[in-house]
Amino acid sequence: MALLNRTVHRPVRPRLPRVSRETSTSWPGLGLAAAGTLVAWCVHEVVPAVPMLTASVVLGIAAAHLPGLRGVVRGPARPGLSLAGRRLMRIGIVLLGLALGLDQVVRLGWATVAMVSGVVAATFFGTVWLGRRLGLPGDQPLLIATGYSICGASAIGAVSEVSGSDEEDVATSVALVTLCGTLAIAVLPLFQDPLGLSDLAFGRWVGASVHDVGQVVATAQTAGPGALGEAVLVKLMRVALLAPLVAAVAFSMRARRRGVRTASGRRPAPVPLFVAGFLAAAALRATGVLPDVALEWAHTAQGLLLAAALFGLGSAVDLPTLARTGGRAALLGLGAWVMVAGVSYLGVLLTV
């Protein structure tokens, strides 16, 4: 009986920090993203007309659906691929600031800021109104409007946390915005010449109309580095509007939590850190203290990081899920896509 009543002391295992646990499960996916980047680089070397970033997206989608790789992509490699799509993309965007310079940021001017704000407002309220007219259930109009007007799936996730949206509504909205953003990589470059857009104007159009940052990069780079720089600058202006939008949604829906908080209880930063890093890198470039060799190395690292991130984003696309989104939701997604493309095109014509 004494043995039964004796307290058993088990050794306490130290808890690994969250970052360490995340990194330990990410190596298979990061390795797959690195392999995909290498293949994309080889494709670009063999066929220079195919940009490396575009090849990375296509290879990521293919890897997610090939019978031999599908289980790996959706299983042990998923944490690393998701990490690549988030973290490596942000680092690549920060390094892109070294190629632009703060003078280019200032050159956009208040007219571009007003244009971006107008595009976001028109797309958001227009999509919500159209969704209600189509009779979409739940928060689907709100979530789809958020994704198309700001920055895709990340914006949908942020708003869904303060609105308490159903998981099915969130999944449908993310599927639609992912589909249209992926199609934009192939579709929008076809309209550059018919619409009479210069490379810089095309970059602004892409930055103002395409949803996710990675999709903006993949679409704009088809028109060269100048278009890519303009697209990222305009896109980052849209991303910076995420926090005010989340705050407005939280206030209008009278959320149970006070203020604007995520599910973890943390308040979102007024400006995403990678946006601040991008501006800091541009300011550093403007000082002229960095030698040319450092800028060249940064350009190479930026290309590789963006390629790996786009491979990770492409591997998250599930074509069967996208095919099951439903007729009315698909109609709203198409209407919102046409709306944001049309309004942003008019905005670019007024500000170029």
Side-chain angles (χ1 to χ4, degrees):
M1 293 298 295
L3 292 177
L4 293 177
N5 294 329
R6 183 179 301 171
T7 302
V8 178
H9 297 281
R10 296 180 180 179
V12 179
R13 297 180 181 180
R15 294 185 61 184
L16 295 176
R18 181 176 180 271
V19 175
S20 300
R21 295 198 305 271
E22 183 180 36
T23 303
S24 64
T25 60
S26 299
W27 289 118
L30 291 176
L32 183 58
T37 301
L38 177 60
V39 175
W41 178 81
C42 293
V43 170
H44 175 64
E45 290 295 313
V46 175
V47 187
V50 178
M52 182 174 67
L53 300 185
T54 302
S56 297
V57 175
V58 175
L59 288 171
I61 297 175
H65 295 85
L66 288 176
L69 285 176
R70 182 170 52 197
V72 177
V73 169
R74 298 179 180 177
R78 188 69 260 155
L81 292 172
S82 298
L83 181 66
R86 297 191 315 271
R87 302 284 180 85
L88 299 187
M89 173 60 68
R90 294 173 182 177
I91 298 174
I93 292 296
V94 170
L95 291 178
L96 183 59
L98 294 176
L100 298 175
L102 191 59
D103 56 332
Q104 293 173 288
V105 179
V106 175
R107 179 175 53 82
L108 290 177
W110 288 105
T112 302
V113 176
M115 181 269 287
V116 172
S117 301
V119 168
V120 169
T123 303
F124 179 80
F125 291 109
T127 303
V128 170
W129 175 83
L130 181 59
R132 299 305 182 197
R133 295 285 294 181
L134 292 173
L136 261 68
D139 291 334
Q140 287 186 19
L142 170 66
L143 298 176
I144 293 173
T146 302
Y148 278 78
S149 61
I150 301 290
C151 54
S154 57
I156 292 173
V159 169
S160 67
E161 290 186 356
V162 299
S163 63
S165 304
D166 293 336
E167 185 177 356
E168 184 177 352
D169 291 341
V170 176
T172 299
S173 304
V174 169
L176 279 173
V177 77
T178 302
L179 172 62
C180 290
T182 303
L183 290 176
I185 299 173
V187 173
L188 261 61
L190 301 178
F191 286 90
Q192 180 180 359
D193 291 335
L195 293 178
L197 294 174
S198 64
D199 290 346
L200 296 183
F202 176 74
R204 291 192 179 192
W205 184 43
V206 170
S209 61
V210 180
H211 320 311
D212 188 84
V213 177
Q215 296 161 349
V216 167
V217 172
T219 306
Q221 53 85 33
T222 59
L228 177 58
E230 293 286 314
V232 171
L233 285 172
V234 173
K235 178 58 186 176
L236 292 181
M237 288 185 184
R238 290 172 63 196
V239 173
L241 295 176
L242 175 60
L245 179 62
V246 172
V249 170
F251 178 79
S252 64
M253 301 191 71
R254 301 183 182 276
R256 288 174 294 179
R257 295 181 295 272
R258 290 185 176 182
V260 184
R261 296 179 182 271
T262 62
S264 61
R266 298 178 179 177
R267 296 180 183 273
V271 177
L273 290 179
F274 77 96
V275 176
F278 171 85
L279 296 176
L284 179 62
R285 167 66 183 270
T287 63
V289 299
L290 295 178
D292 291 340
V293 62
L295 295 176
E296 292 176 1
W297 277 102
H299 176 73
T300 301
Q302 165 218 314
L304 295 175
L305 288 170
L306 292 179
L310 290 173
F311 182 89
L313 290 175
S315 69
V317 176
D318 183 52
L319 297 180
T321 299
L322 297 179
R324 296 193 298 267
T325 55
R328 287 181 298 172
L331 183 59
L332 177 60
L334 178 61
W337 191 19
V338 173
M339 187 184 309
V340 68
V343 174
S344 59
Y345 174 68
L346 293 177
V348 168
L349 293 182
L350 294 174
T351 55
V352 174

